[in-house]
Amino acid sequence: MPCSDRLLNRSERYPHDYWVAGRPKRSSAPTEIRSPYDGSLAGVVHHASEQDIEAAVTAAEAARRPAAQLPAHARAQALTHVASRLGERAEEVARLITAESGKPIKWSRAEVTRAVSTFRWAAEEARRFSGSLQRLDTDPDPVSQLATRRPMSAR
């Protein structure tokens, strides 16, 4: 299924390529993502420079304490906002997942629905956070891990 022009035409809604520490940035090395289904253009991803990655890590570290001091209702409100916005754009996101991965639209819709549910669940848990860790479909191995998602067609 080819990706719609609305998904591809990000430049009208997003005149920048990505954000670092609250500031828009431009990429010098965008990569086209092609649908494994029919080879059509599914989208374009942009790559942060090493300096931008360092700036993002530094900004995240600086935000750690203020974020940790946010009251539970503020954290819950932020997570609820993410769930709501993702829900509003569920079909668009599902079509983008299908375009970049080639999976059936039914599975992509289920993936988006699960993401919305996960953010809603996290918002509820944030309201009653007791200091204990809630695992959600994670590997119980205590070794630090970093998860990233890369479209299949970018491999």
Side-chain angles (χ1 to χ4, degrees):
M1 159 193 292
C3 190
S4 73
D5 290 340
R6 180 173 176 228
L7 293 175
L8 290 175
N9 195 2
R10 291 178 70 246
S11 60
E12 289 179 16
R13 290 182 295 162
Y14 309 107
H16 47 272
D17 297 333
Y18 57 95
W19 289 83
V20 175
R23 292 191 174 96
K25 295 287 188 169
R26 283 258 168 217
S27 173
S28 62
T31 300
E32 290 184 348
I33 304 301
R34 298 272 169 193
S35 170
Y37 175 73
D38 64 4
S40 65
L41 184 64
V44 177
V45 295
H46 301 275
H47 305 279
S49 68
E50 287 185 33
Q51 295 83 7
D52 286 340
I53 293 168
E54 286 297 324
V57 170
T58 300
E61 178 61 29
R64 187 172 62 92
R65 281 187 198 227
Q69 294 173 352
L70 282 175
H73 74 276
R75 293 179 195 195
Q77 186 177 22
L79 292 163
T80 298
H81 177 75
V82 171
S84 295
R85 292 301 308 243
L86 185 55
E88 289 168 9
R89 297 177 64 188
E91 184 65 19
E92 177 183 1
V93 174
R95 290 191 179 281
L96 182 57
I97 291 169
T98 291
E100 72 178 21
S101 69
K103 71 173 63 173
I105 188 69
K106 180 179 178 177
W107 293 1
S108 296
R109 288 177 180 139
E111 187 174 332
V112 175
T113 299
R114 173 62 191 259
V116 170
S117 295
T118 300
F119 278 106
R120 285 189 183 137
W121 175 85
E124 289 304 314
E125 288 302 313
R127 286 183 178 86
R128 59 180 166 265
F129 183 66
S130 63
S132 62
L133 186 64
Q134 296 283 329
R135 293 204 176 273
L136 180 65
D137 295 343
T138 60
D139 183 349
D141 185 353
V143 176
S144 294
Q145 298 179 5
L146 173 66
T148 61
R149 184 173 185 279
R150 184 170 75 174
M152 286 176 36
S153 57
R155 295 181 184 157

